[in-house]
Amino acid sequence: MKKGWPIIVAGLILLSCIQQNREKAGNKTAFTGKEGEVKLIVLAPGHFHANLLQKSTIPQVNDSVYVYAISPDDAGLKQYLSAIELFNSRSENPTDWHEIIYTGHDFMDKMITGKKGNVVVLAGNNKNKTEYILSAVNAGLNVLSDKPMAINREDFLLLEEAYKNAKEKNVQLYDMMTERYDILNIIEKELINNPDFFGELVKGTPEDPAIYMESVHHFYKEVSGTPLIRPAWYYDVEQQGEGIADVTTHLIDLLFWKCFPGQPIDYSRDIGNISATHWPTGISQQQFSQSTGESTFPDYLQKYLVNSILNVYANGTVSFDVRNHNVSLKVIWNYQAPDGGADTFISTLKGTKAILKTVQNKEQNFVKQLYAQKAEDVDEKEFARNIETAIGKIKAIYPFVSASPTSYNGEYLISIPVENREGHESHFRYVAESFFNFLVNRNMPEWEKTNTLAKYFITSTALAKAIDSK
């Protein structure tokens, strides 16, 4: 080697390091965790989830928040700003958000060219959401999106492109999966991944799946004694998405997270035999007006009217297998619960030693409860010992958890006191904090990306199959 080469090489390395540091310093996606460096851009708010990230102060998040919407009269924007005003004016632990608002038909272009913030928050009308995600990523902005991130096959392809571009742009793209922070789901995950207690997840069959989940919702309901007003577009499946493209996102995420923790699910290799059905909920003019405050059906809903009844394809079933384990999901949307009723949920996960069931019905006062039942070939005394040992391990971390036999042979209630359960709204802060840590540490696991794509591959494929089967 010539005498001067070591000096030249060393110089080139030094210049490269300097250039990298300069790029990092000038890169808005470089985070250190210091206070106020996360600058939120709230884009086209249309769902109350848009404001829940701001329900409490998060040190990393700057008090100045940039908001972009189509019109100052937009109902979603008004609802969002009203909620922020309540957070700022409450007597206990008030926030101090300063909302900087731009409205106009060019709001998306203004957001992209302005780049006032570094994290885009999306929660609202789903019709253009995936396009917004892709545009934000292409502009070098991080994205934290409410579900669903995609409601059809075309959206799925855009989402796949967005993840590819996010890697190239060195930005983060994340789905708000709040149900992972529900303590019942956390405890169930612990039990599933205790092989001495649960054994292994069975394969199941399409008729008798290893995993079954059923979720029942209602369009019209009261929250804290006040009717929940839905935007009219909520009844348009081209804007909100069908039930099997919306609600199932949480269900699929939970089964991946619980049954295959930390494992990348490749939709091209690990998912198979997708099938689906769907059917409408009929909504009368009176029901529509009661739940939206609108006097008539808007023009974009006219094509769904049959004999003056609005047909909303909110119900459906989805079946598939993941790594040869059979899964069946069911989503129901009724207009209103019967007197004394509420939303309900049931799930069954079958192991070779134990079966775990979550039930949220009238018998449980519509509070989700977790039950453990011995598998058919397991001795009852052996199961009692297994559950005592498993709960003992869990109590070391969650001392409030206990197990007691029910009136059914071989079944136990896994008791999680209500006072030790946080409400759904509190989970949004945990999602945000997890995402902000990914921004700082650049350590979002690969399975977050692959499993999100697998989830939306399933929902978008299922929707296409349901439509084609008509």
Side-chain angles (χ1 to χ4, degrees), residues 16-27:
S16 176
C17 290
I18 292 171
Q19 180 64 26
Q20 288 176 14
N21 288 334
R22 283 176 177 170
E23 289 177 357
K24 186 173 182 180
N27 186 354

Side-chain angles (χ1 to χ4, degrees), residues 49 175-182 250 424 427-428 431:
H49 288 176
D175 200 0
M176 292 187 206
M177 289 289 101
T178 53
E179 292 299 310
R180 298 181 193 176
Y181 299 91
D182 185 311
H250 276 306
H424 173 64
H427 301 158
F428 284 84
V431 171

Side-chain angles (χ1 to χ4, degrees), residues 241-260:
E242 290 203 16
I244 58 176
D246 179 13
V247 177
T248 53
T249 57
H250 276 306
L251 307 185
I252 297 170
D253 182 79
L254 284 176
L255 76 88
F256 286 170
W257 179 73
K258 291 176 182 178
C259 301
F260 307 94

Side-chain angles (χ1 to χ4, degrees), residues 441-454:
N441 299 315
R442 318 301 299 175
N443 62 345
M444 185 185 295
E446 182 65 17
W447 62 263
E448 287 282 13
K449 169 190 169 182
T450 61
N451 294 14
T452 299
L453 287 174

Side-chain angles (χ1 to χ4, degrees), residues 422-468:
E422 292 185 287
H424 173 64
E425 293 187 3
S426 66
H427 301 158
F428 284 84
R429 179 187 178 107
Y430 299 137
V431 171
E433 290 176 339
S434 178
F435 180 64
F436 298 154
N437 284 334
F438 289 148
L439 294 180
V440 173
N441 299 315
R442 318 301 299 175
N443 62 345
M444 185 185 295
E446 182 65 17
W447 62 263
E448 287 282 13
K449 169 190 169 182
T450 61
N451 294 14
T452 299
L453 287 174
K455 173 174 59 182
Y456 287 110
F457 172 78
I458 293 168
T459 58
S460 60
T461 303
L463 176 61
K465 287 181 177 289
I467 293 171
D468 288 345

